[in-house]
Amino acid sequence: MIRIGPRLKSYSWGEHDSLPRLLGVEDPGGPVAEAWFGAHESAPSTLEDGGDLAQFIATDPAALVGAERLPYLLKVLAIASPLSLQVHPTTEQARAGFDAEQARHVDVAAAERTFRDPRHKPELIVALTPMR
């Protein structure tokens, strides 16, 4: 078993202390909207030895997960204010959109970028507290 730690994401719509308190991690101050657990290249989980999960998997992906990355990203959200509606692409749409932006040399971090990776984003919501 490998113990992983979350990557906290700060967005204006997040709560101020719920996620750090829930996860037993240091409160960075300000809103913390999401805690990510997984090997997503933009915010891979931390490892106890100071490394990150994506780098660890890259050492021997076939033996560790059977692929180059984990096939999921678990996000725990703490929502303090309404969010915009999000629509996620199918696998085919994600690949085509990502490839098109790569061909146009749009930086992955650019604000005008729509497809930051070539994967679809299936989602499931489980509310831990009342939500509307």
Side-chain angles (χ1 to χ4, degrees), residues 40-42 68-69 88-102 108 113-122:
H40 193 278
E41 56 272 7
S42 71
E68 292 182 18
R69 63 175 201 88
H88 295 299
T90 65
T91 300
E92 295 78 19
Q93 291 167 330
R95 170 51 66 192
F98 181 80
D99 289 347
E101 288 181 328
Q102 289 292 93
V108 175
R113 181 86 183 212
T114 301
F115 297 90
R116 299 193 189 283
D117 64 57
R119 295 178 291 278
H120 69 303
K121 310 287 187 286

Side-chain angles (χ1 to χ4, degrees), residues 49-72:
D49 68 4
D52 75 51
L53 186 59
Q55 290 173 345
F56 177 71
I57 290 171
T59 64
D60 192 357
L64 294 170
V65 296
E68 292 182 18
R69 63 175 201 88
L70 290 178
Y72 74 94

